[in-house]
Structures are given as structure tokens and as C-alpha cells.
PDB file of all heavy atoms in Angstrom:
ATOM      1  N   ILE S1014     328.787 148.754  20.776  1.00 81.00           N
ATOM      2  CA  ILE S1014     328.989 148.168  22.105  1.00 81.00           C
ATOM      3  C   ILE S1014     330.088 147.119  22.027  1.00 81.00           C
ATOM      4  O   ILE S1014     330.030 146.197  21.208  1.00 81.00           O
ATOM      5  CB  ILE S1014     327.686 147.528  22.629  1.00 81.00           C
ATOM      6  CG1 ILE S1014     326.524 148.525  22.548  1.00 81.00           C
ATOM      7  CG2 ILE S1014     327.873 147.042  24.056  1.00 81.00           C
ATOM      8  CD1 ILE S1014     326.739 149.809  23.293  1.00 81.00           C
ATOM      9  N   THR S1015     331.099 147.274  22.879  1.00 83.00           N
ATOM     10  CA  THR S1015     332.197 146.309  22.931  1.00 83.00           C
ATOM     11  C   THR S1015     332.391 145.820  24.361  1.00 83.00           C
ATOM     12  O   THR S1015     332.082 146.518  25.322  1.00 83.00           O
ATOM     13  CB  THR S1015     333.511 146.935  22.432  1.00 83.00           C
ATOM     14  OG1 THR S1015     333.794 148.122  23.204  1.00 83.00           O
ATOM     15  CG2 THR S1015     333.408 147.314  20.971  1.00 83.00           C
ATOM     16  N   SER S1016     332.875 144.607  24.461  1.00 83.00           N
ATOM     17  CA  SER S1016     333.183 144.017  25.760  1.00 83.00           C
ATOM     18  C   SER S1016     334.603 143.497  25.728  1.00 83.00           C
ATOM     19  O   SER S1016     334.908 142.550  24.993  1.00 83.00           O
ATOM     20  CB  SER S1016     332.198 142.872  26.076  1.00 83.00           C
ATOM     21  OG  SER S1016     332.477 142.295  27.331  1.00 83.00           O
ATOM     22  N   PHE S1017     335.490 144.152  26.473  1.00 80.00           N
ATOM     23  CA  PHE S1017     336.912 143.794  26.497  1.00 80.00           C
ATOM     24  C   PHE S1017     337.502 143.761  25.087  1.00 80.00           C
ATOM     25  O   PHE S1017     338.244 142.849  24.718  1.00 80.00           O
ATOM     26  CB  PHE S1017     337.113 142.459  27.210  1.00 80.00           C
ATOM     27  CG  PHE S1017     336.533 142.420  28.590  1.00 80.00           C
ATOM     28  CD1 PHE S1017     335.370 141.706  28.840  1.00 80.00           C
ATOM     29  CD2 PHE S1017     337.116 143.127  29.631  1.00 80.00           C
ATOM     30  CE1 PHE S1017     334.819 141.686  30.116  1.00 80.00           C
ATOM     31  CE2 PHE S1017     336.567 143.110  30.904  1.00 80.00           C
ATOM     32  CZ  PHE S1017     335.414 142.390  31.155  1.00 80.00           C
ATOM     33  N   GLY S1018     337.112 144.776  24.283  1.00 77.00           N
ATOM     34  CA  GLY S1018     337.672 144.928  22.947  1.00 77.00           C
ATOM     35  C   GLY S1018     336.961 144.156  21.855  1.00 77.00           C
ATOM     36  O   GLY S1018     337.306 144.298  20.679  1.00 77.00           O
ATOM     37  N   LYS S1019     335.947 143.351  22.207  1.00 80.00           N
ATOM     38  CA  LYS S1019     335.227 142.564  21.211  1.00 80.00           C
ATOM     39  C   LYS S1019     333.854 143.179  20.941  1.00 80.00           C
ATOM     40  O   LYS S1019     333.148 143.565  21.866  1.00 80.00           O
ATOM     41  CB  LYS S1019     335.073 141.116  21.685  1.00 80.00           C
ATOM     42  CG  LYS S1019     336.389 140.362  21.783  1.00 80.00           C
ATOM     43  CD  LYS S1019     336.168 138.905  22.151  1.00 80.00           C
ATOM     44  CE  LYS S1019     337.491 138.137  22.197  1.00 80.00           C
ATOM     45  NZ  LYS S1019     337.281 136.715  22.552  1.00 80.00           N
ATOM     46  N   PHE S1020     333.496 143.238  19.646  1.00 76.00           N
ATOM     47  CA  PHE S1020     332.224 143.828  19.247  1.00 76.00           C
ATOM     48  C   PHE S1020     331.057 142.981  19.733  1.00 76.00           C
ATOM     49  O   PHE S1020     331.036 141.764  19.570  1.00 76.00           O
ATOM     50  CB  PHE S1020     332.174 143.964  17.730  1.00 76.00           C
ATOM     51  CG  PHE S1020     330.850 144.451  17.206  1.00 76.00           C
ATOM     52  CD1 PHE S1020     330.482 145.776  17.358  1.00 76.00           C
ATOM     53  CD2 PHE S1020     329.980 143.583  16.567  1.00 76.00           C
ATOM     54  CE1 PHE S1020     329.267 146.232  16.883  1.00 76.00           C
ATOM     55  CE2 PHE S1020     328.771 144.029  16.088  1.00 76.00           C
ATOM     56  CZ  PHE S1020     328.406 145.357  16.247  1.00 76.00           C
ATOM     57  N   LYS S1021     330.051 143.638  20.328  1.00 77.00           N
ATOM     58  CA  LYS S1021     328.894 142.917  20.867  1.00 77.00           C
ATOM     59  C   LYS S1021     327.567 143.366  20.269  1.00 77.00           C
ATOM     60  O   LYS S1021     326.584 142.636  20.351  1.00 77.00           O
ATOM     61  CB  LYS S1021     328.844 143.081  22.392  1.00 77.00           C
ATOM     62  CG  LYS S1021     329.986 142.391  23.126  1.00 77.00           C
ATOM     63  CD  LYS S1021     329.948 140.894  22.898  1.00 77.00           C
ATOM     64  CE  LYS S1021     331.064 140.177  23.642  1.00 77.00           C
ATOM     65  NZ  LYS S1021     331.047 138.708  23.402  1.00 77.00           N
ATOM     66  N   GLY S1022     327.514 144.560  19.712  1.00 79.00           N
ATOM     67  CA  GLY S1022     326.249 145.001  19.141  1.00 79.00           C
ATOM     68  C   GLY S1022     326.227 146.480  18.841  1.00 79.00           C
ATOM     69  O   GLY S1022     327.200 147.201  19.063  1.00 79.00           O
ATOM     70  N   VAL S1023     325.077 146.922  18.334  1.00 77.00           N
ATOM     71  CA  VAL S1023     324.884 148.317  17.948  1.00 77.00           C
ATOM     72  C   VAL S1023     323.630 148.848  18.616  1.00 77.00           C
ATOM     73  O   VAL S1023     322.623 148.147  18.716  1.00 77.00           O
ATOM     74  CB  VAL S1023     324.748 148.447  16.413  1.00 77.00           C
ATOM     75  CG1 VAL S1023     324.430 149.886  16.022  1.00 77.00           C
ATOM     76  CG2 VAL S1023     326.025 147.995  15.723  1.00 77.00           C
ATOM     77  N   ARG S1024     323.687 150.084  19.080  1.00 80.00           N
ATOM     78  CA  ARG S1024     322.508 150.757  19.613  1.00 80.00           C
ATOM     79  C   ARG S1024     322.213 151.974  18.732  1.00 80.00           C
ATOM     80  O   ARG S1024     323.099 152.789  18.472  1.00 80.00           O
ATOM     81  CB  ARG S1024     322.735 151.210  21.064  1.00 80.00           C
ATOM     82  CG  ARG S1024     323.132 150.078  22.018  1.00 80.00           C
ATOM     83  CD  ARG S1024     322.007 149.091  22.247  1.00 80.00           C
ATOM     84  NE  ARG S1024     322.381 148.112  23.282  1.00 80.00           N
ATOM     85  CZ  ARG S1024     322.973 146.952  23.014  1.00 80.00           C
ATOM     86  NH1 ARG S1024     323.262 146.638  21.740  1.00 80.00           N
ATOM     87  NH2 ARG S1024     323.270 146.115  23.992  1.00 80.00           N
ATOM     88  N   ASP S1025     320.977 152.061  18.281  1.00 76.00           N
ATOM     89  CA  ASP S1025     320.586 153.196  17.448  1.00 76.00           C
ATOM     90  C   ASP S1025     320.337 154.423  18.307  1.00 76.00           C
ATOM     91  O   ASP S1025     320.412 154.375  19.537  1.00 76.00           O
ATOM     92  CB  ASP S1025     319.345 152.837  16.630  1.00 76.00           C
ATOM     93  CG  ASP S1025     319.627 151.767  15.584  1.00 76.00           C
ATOM     94  OD1 ASP S1025     320.726 151.806  14.993  1.00 76.00           O
ATOM     95  OD2 ASP S1025     318.755 150.906  15.357  1.00 76.00           O
ATOM     96  N   SER S1026     320.010 155.545  17.645  1.00 77.00           N
ATOM     97  CA  SER S1026     319.819 156.796  18.377  1.00 77.00           C
ATOM     98  C   SER S1026     318.697 156.664  19.404  1.00 77.00           C
ATOM     99  O   SER S1026     317.706 155.972  19.190  1.00 77.00           O
ATOM    100  CB  SER S1026     319.504 157.935  17.402  1.00 77.00           C
ATOM    101  OG  SER S1026     318.330 157.651  16.659  1.00 77.00           O
ATOM    102  N   GLY S1027     318.877 157.344  20.533  1.00 78.00           N
ATOM    103  CA  GLY S1027     317.913 157.263  21.634  1.00 78.00           C
ATOM    104  C   GLY S1027     318.540 156.621  22.861  1.00 78.00           C
ATOM    105  O   GLY S1027     319.755 156.471  22.960  1.00 78.00           O
ATOM    106  N   LEU S1028     317.690 156.243  23.808  1.00 79.00           N
ATOM    107  CA  LEU S1028     318.152 155.632  25.060  1.00 79.00           C
ATOM    108  C   LEU S1028     318.112 154.117  24.945  1.00 79.00           C
ATOM    109  O   LEU S1028     317.123 153.544  24.490  1.00 79.00           O
ATOM    110  CB  LEU S1028     317.262 156.095  26.216  1.00 79.00           C
ATOM    111  CG  LEU S1028     317.742 155.763  27.638  1.00 79.00           C
ATOM    112  CD1 LEU S1028     319.078 156.449  27.921  1.00 79.00           C
ATOM    113  CD2 LEU S1028     316.687 156.191  28.655  1.00 79.00           C
ATOM    114  N   ALA S1029     319.187 153.466  25.346  1.00 79.00           N
ATOM    115  CA  ALA S1029     319.272 152.004  25.256  1.00 79.00           C
ATOM    116  C   ALA S1029     320.052 151.468  26.452  1.00 79.00           C
ATOM    117  O   ALA S1029     320.563 152.224  27.289  1.00 79.00           O
ATOM    118  CB  ALA S1029     319.936 151.589  23.951  1.00 79.00           C
ATOM    119  N   TYR S1030     320.142 150.141  26.538  1.00 72.00           N
ATOM    120  CA  TYR S1030     320.765 149.469  27.689  1.00 72.00           C
ATOM    121  C   TYR S1030     321.964 148.651  27.226  1.00 72.00           C
ATOM    122  O   TYR S1030     322.006 148.129  26.123  1.00 72.00           O
ATOM    123  CB  TYR S1030     319.743 148.564  28.369  1.00 72.00           C
ATOM    124  CG  TYR S1030     320.320 147.687  29.453  1.00 72.00           C
ATOM    125  CD1 TYR S1030     320.506 148.183  30.741  1.00 72.00           C
ATOM    126  CD2 TYR S1030     320.698 146.372  29.181  1.00 72.00           C
ATOM    127  CE1 TYR S1030     321.050 147.379  31.738  1.00 72.00           C
ATOM    128  CE2 TYR S1030     321.244 145.564  30.176  1.00 72.00           C
ATOM    129  CZ  TYR S1030     321.420 146.074  31.447  1.00 72.00           C
ATOM    130  OH  TYR S1030     321.960 145.277  32.434  1.00 72.00           O
ATOM    131  N   LYS S1031     322.965 148.560  28.112  1.00 75.00           N
ATOM    132  CA  LYS S1031     324.106 147.659  27.930  1.00 75.00           C
ATOM    133  C   LYS S1031     324.530 147.168  29.306  1.00 75.00           C
ATOM    134  O   LYS S1031     324.087 147.684  30.334  1.00 75.00           O
ATOM    135  CB  LYS S1031     325.271 148.388  27.246  1.00 75.00           C
ATOM    136  CG  LYS S1031     325.885 149.486  28.106  1.00 75.00           C
ATOM    137  CD  LYS S1031     327.108 150.095  27.441  1.00 75.00           C
ATOM    138  CE  LYS S1031     327.739 151.180  28.320  1.00 75.00           C
ATOM    139  NZ  LYS S1031     328.269 150.676  29.583  1.00 75.00           N
ATOM    140  N   HIS S1032     325.377 146.158  29.350  1.00 76.00           N
ATOM    141  CA  HIS S1032     325.946 145.740  30.627  1.00 76.00           C
ATOM    142  C   HIS S1032     326.925 146.807  31.113  1.00 76.00           C
ATOM    143  O   HIS S1032     327.614 147.448  30.309  1.00 76.00           O
ATOM    144  CB  HIS S1032     326.661 144.402  30.487  1.00 76.00           C
ATOM    145  CG  HIS S1032     325.731 143.274  30.138  1.00 76.00           C
ATOM    146  ND1 HIS S1032     324.668 142.916  30.937  1.00 76.00           N
ATOM    147  CD2 HIS S1032     325.696 142.441  29.069  1.00 76.00           C
ATOM    148  CE1 HIS S1032     324.024 141.902  30.395  1.00 76.00           C
ATOM    149  NE2 HIS S1032     324.628 141.593  29.251  1.00 76.00           N
ATOM    150  N   PHE S1033     326.981 146.996  32.420  1.00 74.00           N
ATOM    151  CA  PHE S1033     327.761 148.113  32.956  1.00 74.00           C
ATOM    152  C   PHE S1033     329.250 148.010  32.645  1.00 74.00           C
ATOM    153  O   PHE S1033     329.958 149.008  32.623  1.00 74.00           O
ATOM    154  CB  PHE S1033     327.536 148.256  34.476  1.00 74.00           C
ATOM    155  CG  PHE S1033     328.138 147.157  35.299  1.00 74.00           C
ATOM    156  CD1 PHE S1033     329.456 147.213  35.725  1.00 74.00           C
ATOM    157  CD2 PHE S1033     327.383 146.044  35.667  1.00 74.00           C
ATOM    158  CE1 PHE S1033     330.014 146.205  36.488  1.00 74.00           C
ATOM    159  CE2 PHE S1033     327.932 145.034  36.429  1.00 74.00           C
ATOM    160  CZ  PHE S1033     329.250 145.098  36.848  1.00 74.00           C
ATOM    161  N   TRP S1034     329.735 146.798  32.388  1.00 72.00           N
ATOM    162  CA  TRP S1034     331.168 146.659  32.106  1.00 72.00           C
ATOM    163  C   TRP S1034     331.482 146.868  30.607  1.00 72.00           C
ATOM    164  O   TRP S1034     332.643 146.918  30.221  1.00 72.00           O
ATOM    165  CB  TRP S1034     331.669 145.274  32.531  1.00 72.00           C
ATOM    166  CG  TRP S1034     331.050 144.127  31.777  1.00 72.00           C
ATOM    167  CD1 TRP S1034     331.420 143.635  30.556  1.00 72.00           C
ATOM    168  CD2 TRP S1034     329.928 143.353  32.196  1.00 72.00           C
ATOM    169  NE1 TRP S1034     330.629 142.606  30.182  1.00 72.00           N
ATOM    170  CE2 TRP S1034     329.693 142.389  31.180  1.00 72.00           C
ATOM    171  CE3 TRP S1034     329.119 143.346  33.331  1.00 72.00           C
ATOM    172  CZ2 TRP S1034     328.666 141.456  31.263  1.00 72.00           C
ATOM    173  CZ3 TRP S1034     328.100 142.409  33.413  1.00 72.00           C
ATOM    174  CH2 TRP S1034     327.868 141.486  32.391  1.00 72.00           C
ATOM    175  N   GLN S1035     330.468 146.981  29.815  1.00 79.00           N
ATOM    176  CA  GLN S1035     330.686 147.165  28.383  1.00 79.00           C
ATOM    177  C   GLN S1035     330.935 148.638  28.047  1.00 79.00           C
ATOM    178  O   GLN S1035     330.521 149.536  28.774  1.00 79.00           O
ATOM    179  CB  GLN S1035     329.483 146.644  27.593  1.00 79.00           C
ATOM    180  CG  GLN S1035     329.318 145.138  27.690  1.00 79.00           C
ATOM    181  CD  GLN S1035     328.092 144.648  26.945  1.00 79.00           C
ATOM    182  OE1 GLN S1035     327.072 145.333  26.893  1.00 79.00           O
ATOM    183  NE2 GLN S1035     328.196 143.455  26.375  1.00 79.00           N
ATOM    184  N   LYS S1036     331.579 148.867  26.916  1.00 80.00           N
ATOM    185  CA  LYS S1036     331.916 150.219  26.477  1.00 80.00           C
ATOM    186  C   LYS S1036     331.069 150.603  25.264  1.00 80.00           C
ATOM    187  O   LYS S1036     330.841 149.778  24.374  1.00 80.00           O
ATOM    188  CB  LYS S1036     333.402 150.297  26.111  1.00 80.00           C
ATOM    189  CG  LYS S1036     333.854 151.672  25.634  1.00 80.00           C
ATOM    190  CD  LYS S1036     335.329 151.645  25.259  1.00 80.00           C
ATOM    191  CE  LYS S1036     335.776 153.007  24.728  1.00 80.00           C
ATOM    192  NZ  LYS S1036     337.205 153.002  24.325  1.00 80.00           N
ATOM    193  N   ALA S1037     330.617 151.848  25.230  1.00 80.00           N
ATOM    194  CA  ALA S1037     329.844 152.355  24.094  1.00 80.00           C
ATOM    195  C   ALA S1037     330.654 153.425  23.367  1.00 80.00           C
ATOM    196  O   ALA S1037     331.125 154.380  23.987  1.00 80.00           O
ATOM    197  CB  ALA S1037     328.513 152.933  24.562  1.00 80.00           C
ATOM    198  N   THR S1038     330.812 153.260  22.046  1.00 78.00           N
ATOM    199  CA  THR S1038     331.533 154.231  21.217  1.00 78.00           C
ATOM    200  C   THR S1038     330.573 154.787  20.187  1.00 78.00           C
ATOM    201  O   THR S1038     330.058 154.049  19.343  1.00 78.00           O
ATOM    202  CB  THR S1038     332.729 153.574  20.506  1.00 78.00           C
ATOM    203  OG1 THR S1038     333.605 152.997  21.484  1.00 78.00           O
ATOM    204  CG2 THR S1038     333.498 154.603  19.689  1.00 78.00           C
ATOM    205  N   GLU S1039     330.327 156.091  20.231  1.00 80.00           N
ATOM    206  CA  GLU S1039     329.359 156.711  19.324  1.00 80.00           C
ATOM    207  C   GLU S1039     330.039 157.168  18.046  1.00 80.00           C
ATOM    208  O   GLU S1039     331.100 157.789  18.083  1.00 80.00           O
ATOM    209  CB  GLU S1039     328.696 157.898  20.012  1.00 80.00           C
ATOM    210  CG  GLU S1039     327.539 158.506  19.229  1.00 80.00           C
ATOM    211  CD  GLU S1039     326.824 159.603  20.003  1.00 80.00           C
ATOM    212  OE1 GLU S1039     327.237 160.776  19.884  1.00 80.00           O
ATOM    213  OE2 GLU S1039     325.872 159.288  20.723  1.00 80.00           O
ATOM    214  N   ILE S1040     329.425 156.836  16.903  1.00 78.00           N
ATOM    215  CA  ILE S1040     329.964 157.272  15.619  1.00 78.00           C
ATOM    216  C   ILE S1040     328.823 157.854  14.772  1.00 78.00           C
ATOM    217  O   ILE S1040     327.673 157.430  14.883  1.00 78.00           O
ATOM    218  CB  ILE S1040     330.650 156.125  14.843  1.00 78.00           C
ATOM    219  CG1 ILE S1040     329.632 155.035  14.479  1.00 78.00           C
ATOM    220  CG2 ILE S1040     331.795 155.542  15.622  1.00 78.00           C
ATOM    221  CD1 ILE S1040     330.190 154.016  13.530  1.00 78.00           C
ATOM    222  N   PRO S1041     329.119 158.837  13.920  1.00 78.00           N
ATOM    223  CA  PRO S1041     328.078 159.435  13.066  1.00 78.00           C
ATOM    224  C   PRO S1041     327.744 158.520  11.894  1.00 78.00           C
ATOM    225  O   PRO S1041     328.638 157.947  11.269  1.00 78.00           O
ATOM    226  CB  PRO S1041     328.723 160.734  12.595  1.00 78.00           C
ATOM    227  CG  PRO S1041     330.189 160.450  12.636  1.00 78.00           C
ATOM    228  CD  PRO S1041     330.411 159.512  13.790  1.00 78.00           C
ATOM    229  N   VAL S1042     326.459 158.368  11.592  1.00 76.00           N
ATOM    230  CA  VAL S1042     326.049 157.542  10.458  1.00 76.00           C
ATOM    231  C   VAL S1042     325.216 158.349   9.453  1.00 76.00           C
ATOM    232  O   VAL S1042     324.696 157.800   8.491  1.00 76.00           O
ATOM    233  CB  VAL S1042     325.247 156.304  10.923  1.00 76.00           C
ATOM    234  CG1 VAL S1042     326.137 155.350  11.701  1.00 76.00           C
ATOM    235  CG2 VAL S1042     324.040 156.709  11.754  1.00 76.00           C
ATOM    236  N   MET S1043     325.089 159.651   9.680  1.00 82.00           N
ATOM    237  CA  MET S1043     324.364 160.476   8.717  1.00 82.00           C
ATOM    238  C   MET S1043     325.170 160.612   7.429  1.00 82.00           C
ATOM    239  O   MET S1043     326.363 160.315   7.398  1.00 82.00           O
ATOM    240  CB  MET S1043     324.047 161.860   9.308  1.00 82.00           C
ATOM    241  CG  MET S1043     325.242 162.790   9.424  1.00 82.00           C
ATOM    242  SD  MET S1043     326.305 162.450  10.826  1.00 82.00           S
ATOM    243  CE  MET S1043     325.329 163.158  12.141  1.00 82.00           C
ATOM    244  N   THR S1044     324.512 161.048   6.371  1.00 89.00           N
ATOM    245  CA  THR S1044     325.180 161.179   5.078  1.00 89.00           C
ATOM    246  C   THR S1044     326.296 162.221   5.142  1.00 89.00           C
ATOM    247  O   THR S1044     326.109 163.310   5.656  1.00 89.00           O
ATOM    248  CB  THR S1044     324.166 161.580   3.981  1.00 89.00           C
ATOM    249  OG1 THR S1044     323.170 160.562   3.881  1.00 89.00           O
ATOM    250  CG2 THR S1044     324.852 161.728   2.634  1.00 89.00           C
ATOM    251  N   LYS S1045     327.453 161.828   4.616  1.00 91.00           N
ATOM    252  CA  LYS S1045     328.620 162.715   4.585  1.00 91.00           C
ATOM    253  C   LYS S1045     329.036 162.936   3.130  1.00 91.00           C
ATOM    254  O   LYS S1045     328.616 162.195   2.246  1.00 91.00           O
ATOM    255  CB  LYS S1045     329.768 162.092   5.389  1.00 91.00           C
ATOM    256  CG  LYS S1045     329.495 162.044   6.888  1.00 91.00           C
ATOM    257  CD  LYS S1045     330.546 161.251   7.629  1.00 91.00           C
ATOM    258  CE  LYS S1045     330.280 159.756   7.539  1.00 91.00           C
ATOM    259  NZ  LYS S1045     329.048 159.354   8.243  1.00 91.00           N
ATOM    260  N   THR S1046     329.868 163.943   2.918  1.00 93.00           N
ATOM    261  CA  THR S1046     330.267 164.304   1.559  1.00 93.00           C
ATOM    262  C   THR S1046     331.780 164.407   1.453  1.00 93.00           C
ATOM    263  O   THR S1046     332.432 164.980   2.327  1.00 93.00           O
ATOM    264  CB  THR S1046     329.626 165.643   1.135  1.00 93.00           C
ATOM    265  OG1 THR S1046     328.207 165.526   1.203  1.00 93.00           O
ATOM    266  CG2 THR S1046     330.016 166.001  -0.292  1.00 93.00           C
ATOM    267  N   GLU S1047     332.301 163.852   0.375  1.00 94.00           N
ATOM    268  CA  GLU S1047     333.722 163.996   0.030  1.00 94.00           C
ATOM    269  C   GLU S1047     333.783 164.629  -1.360  1.00 94.00           C
ATOM    270  O   GLU S1047     333.038 164.234  -2.255  1.00 94.00           O
ATOM    271  CB  GLU S1047     334.419 162.632   0.001  1.00 94.00           C
ATOM    272  CG  GLU S1047     334.206 161.770   1.224  1.00 94.00           C
ATOM    273  CD  GLU S1047     334.868 162.316   2.463  1.00 94.00           C
ATOM    274  OE1 GLU S1047     335.787 163.152   2.324  1.00 94.00           O
ATOM    275  OE2 GLU S1047     334.478 161.906   3.567  1.00 94.00           O
ATOM    276  N   SER S1048     334.644 165.597  -1.544  1.00 93.00           N
ATOM    277  CA  SER S1048     334.745 166.230  -2.861  1.00 93.00           C
ATOM    278  C   SER S1048     336.197 166.547  -3.189  1.00 93.00           C
ATOM    279  O   SER S1048     337.011 166.804  -2.305  1.00 93.00           O
ATOM    280  CB  SER S1048     333.902 167.513  -2.914  1.00 93.00           C
ATOM    281  OG  SER S1048     334.327 168.442  -1.936  1.00 93.00           O
ATOM    282  N   ASP S1049     336.489 166.516  -4.495  1.00 94.00           N
ATOM    283  CA  ASP S1049     337.848 166.812  -4.941  1.00 94.00           C
ATOM    284  C   ASP S1049     337.809 167.095  -6.443  1.00 94.00           C
ATOM    285  O   ASP S1049     336.847 166.748  -7.128  1.00 94.00           O
ATOM    286  CB  ASP S1049     338.766 165.620  -4.652  1.00 94.00           C
ATOM    287  CG  ASP S1049     340.230 166.017  -4.653  1.00 94.00           C
ATOM    288  OD1 ASP S1049     340.527 167.204  -4.908  1.00 94.00           O
ATOM    289  OD2 ASP S1049     341.079 165.142  -4.412  1.00 94.00           O
TER     290      ASP S1049
END
């Protein structure tokens, strides 16, 4: 959750609330793999 470009908090999976002017950016946090 960001407000005018500033970080304000995190919402975990499921339904949650934020102020209507704030922006929510979803990112994956499950385990990922890199190989080489």
C-alpha cells in the first residue's frame, strides 16, 4: 500500500481495507527458484 508514492503498509492474501486514495500493488511472495 502506497500513498502518493510513499510506502504505507502491507496487506496479506485475502480481503483487506485501505484508504480510497491509496494504491495497492500486488507482488508474489511464494517460493521461487533460480538455477544456472
Side-chain angles (χ1 to χ4, degrees):
I1014 308 303
T1015 56
S1016 180
F1017 305 106
K1019 294 184 178 180
F1020 175 74
K1021 292 298 181 181
V1023 175
R1024 304 292 186 269
D1025 293 322
S1026 59
L1028 191 62
Y1030 172 83
K1031 67 175 181 64
H1032 295 301
F1033 70 86
W1034 64 83
Q1035 293 178 326
K1036 180 182 178 181
T1038 302
E1039 188 175 89
I1040 64 170
V1042 293
M1043 73 281 283
T1044 299
K1045 291 172 279 294
T1046 301
E1047 309 292 341
S1048 59
D1049 199 358

